[in-house]
Every structure is written in structure tokens, then in C-alpha cells.
């Protein structure tokens, strides 16, 4: 069921992601000539992209894969506390998709935003909207509004979760590292950005904070 809803190439979720990718290329028409740092992303996202930047530097806390395409660079690193060899570099665009809600609380989100503002003049930061009625990681109605114990139970047993938990302790870790934010918080972290809502049936599903170069 989850695959049909959000994961398969022809799913509803895939169509939403394709539309968002079109927004990105429309917002930054020079994307194909840009150097991009992707905080918390994956190289394969850009391999599937309709418009691929000239150079993509992915920074993630996941294990590093083997071979990379010539246009890609990959580093193991914390986007909230970047290693000096990354922090001192400059890029044309900072990109991040569904990461800021996983970094670990307000203080860490502030540091994440500081990284975004430091690395480039332009950015595109997307995150799910807290008050959309379906929690996106588990595709569970209203899950984000439940007490932690109940969210943990849902995360442990719910069949549509993104990453099924092998036990309750893992489910709680997944819950505690997922904190959806609202528009007021997004404006606080990105005060000079345009906040673009992505809507479904008139309701805000996700938000994109973007800033053009200059």
C-alpha cells in the first residue's frame, strides 16, 4: 500500500516530488550550471532529476557508498556542525529536502539554518507541514499530535511506515528524531526567505523556504 501511495515511480508521492522538482528548476533557471550542496540528501535523488546541477556535494550521516558519478561529491558530516573543510566553502545553492524536522530540536534547527545561510546566498529548504492531517513518514492520520507513548506504538506497528522498526526501542528513537514544524517556526529559521506552501486539497502539505541569489 505504501509503495502505491508514495514510493513507486508512478505513485501519488512521486508525482508530488516531480512537481516540486519542476518548481525548483523554474525558481532557479540556471540550476544546470550551479554548484549545489545537498544537506542530508542522497546522490541517487540527483541521478533521477530532470535538471541536474553542474556539481552536487551531498553531506549526510549515512554510510558512504562506493563509486560516484563525476559530477557528484559525498561527505560524511553533520549539517548542524559542518566540518571546517565544508563550512569554509561556498556554493551557488543550498538544497535540503525533508531534513530539518529530523535534526534534533530547536537549538539544532537553528544551527542547521545557520549552515544554510553560511554556505550560499541562495537556498531551497523543504519540510513537511506539522498541521497537515497525515503524518508523512508513517502515512498515519494525526500521529504527530499523539503523546510520545502512542506515537511509539504507531511507529512500531503501523504497516505504512517509511522504515519499519524492529522493536519498540527503535520505534521510539524514530519518533523522537522526527519533529514536524509549522510556518511560524520556518519563518523564524529563514526570516529573509520566501515561504512557499505546497497544498493538497487546499491544505498545506509541506513548506519550502527559498531565497534567490543576491
Amino acid at each position: 500500500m505504501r509503495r502505491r501511495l508514495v514510493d513507486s515511480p508512478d505513485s501519488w508521492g512521486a508525482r508530488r516530488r516531480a512537481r516540486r522538482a519542476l518548481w525548483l528548476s523554474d525558481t532557479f533557471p540556471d540550476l544546470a550550471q550551479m554548484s549545489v550542496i545537498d544537506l542530508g540528501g542522497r546522490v541517487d535523488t540527483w541521478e533521477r532529476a530532470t535538471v541536474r546541477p553542474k556539481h552536487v556535494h551531498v553531506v549526510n550521516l549515512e554510510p558512504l557508498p562506493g563509486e560516484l558519478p563525476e559530477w557528484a561529491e559525498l561527505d560524511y558530516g553533520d549539517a548542524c556542525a559542518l566540518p571546517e573543510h565544508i563550512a569554509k566553502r561556498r556554493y551557488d545553492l543550498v538544497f535540503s529536502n525533508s531534513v530539518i524536522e529530523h535534526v534534533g530540536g530547536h537549538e539544532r534547527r537553528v544551527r542547521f539554518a545557520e549552515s544554510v545561510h553560511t554556505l550560499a546566498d541562495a537556498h531551497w529548504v523543504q519540510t513537511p507541514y506539522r498541521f497537515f492531517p497525515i503524518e508523512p513518514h508513517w502515512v498515519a492520520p494525526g500521529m504527530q499530535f499523539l503523546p510520545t507513548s502512542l506515537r511509539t506504538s504507531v511507529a512500531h506497528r503501523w504497516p505504512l511506515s517509511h522504515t519499519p522498526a524492529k522493536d519498540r526501542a527503535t520505534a521510539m528513537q524514530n519518533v523522537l528524531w522526527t519533529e514536524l514544524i509549522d510556518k511560524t517556526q520556518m519563518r523564524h529559521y529563514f526570516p529573509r526567505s520566501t515561504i512557499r506552501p505546497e497544498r493538497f486539497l487546499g491544505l498545506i502539505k509541506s513548506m519550502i523556504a527559498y531565497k534567490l541569489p543576491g
Side-chain angles (χ1 to χ4, degrees):
M1 175 66 75
R2 180 185 173 91
R3 179 172 173 78
R4 290 200 298 270
L5 286 173
V6 295
D7 289 340
S8 70
D10 59 348
S11 67
W12 174 83
R15 291 193 296 272
R16 304 295 293 190
R17 290 189 291 272
R19 181 185 180 193
R20 200 180 301 144
L22 182 61
W23 286 357
L24 175 66
S25 59
D26 285 347
T27 303
F28 299 98
D30 296 329
L31 182 62
Q33 287 76 49
M34 298 176 87
S35 63
V36 174
I37 184 167
D38 183 342
L39 299 180
R42 294 182 175 90
V43 173
D44 60 5
T45 298
W46 298 101
E47 288 178 323
R48 298 190 301 267
T50 305
V51 179
R52 190 176 67 226
K54 182 178 180 180
H55 183 77
V56 178
H57 186 182
V58 173
V59 179
N60 206 318
L61 289 172
E62 294 183 347
L64 302 180
E67 288 189 29
L68 292 173
E70 62 180 11
W71 48 265
E73 180 181 358
L74 183 60
D75 267 302
Y76 181 89
D78 182 351
C80 303
L82 290 169
E84 184 179 357
H85 73 278
I86 300 175
K88 67 182 181 181
R89 291 174 60 175
R90 294 283 291 175
Y91 302 83
D92 297 319
L93 175 69
V94 179
F95 176 92
S96 181
N97 187 72
S98 295
V99 173
I100 194 172
E101 73 272 19
H102 295 295
V103 298
H106 169 68
E107 190 271 340
R108 296 259 304 164
R109 289 192 292 269
V110 169
R111 290 164 60 187
F112 178 91
E114 288 173 350
S115 294
V116 171
H117 297 311
T118 299
L119 291 166
D121 289 335
H123 57 253
W124 175 278
V125 179
Q126 184 271 351
T127 188
Y129 181 55
R130 174 172 172 75
F131 294 106
F132 187 70
I134 307 295
E135 205 293 332
H137 304 90
W138 285 273
V139 196
M143 177 183 169
Q144 66 270 40
F145 307 120
L146 297 175
T148 301
S149 61
L150 291 180
R151 281 188 286 146
T152 299
S153 296
V154 173
H156 189 202
R157 302 296 182 188
W158 191 251
L160 301 181
S161 64
H162 179 269
T163 306
K166 61 182 179 180
D167 52 40
R168 187 173 176 85
T170 303
M172 179 169 283
Q173 284 293 317
N174 293 341
V175 163
L176 293 177
W177 280 97
T178 304
E179 187 176 357
L180 301 183
I181 65 176
D182 63 23
K183 188 182 292 187
T184 300
Q185 290 169 289
M186 197 69 158
R187 289 192 183 281
H188 175 75
Y189 301 130
F190 302 99
R192 295 181 298 278
S193 307
T194 299
I195 308 298
R196 179 172 187 171
E198 179 186 12
R199 296 181 183 272
F200 178 69
L201 297 177
L203 302 175
I204 298 176
K205 179 185 175 292
S206 71
M207 305 170 290
I208 301 162
Y210 72 89
K211 182 177 179 295
L212 299 177

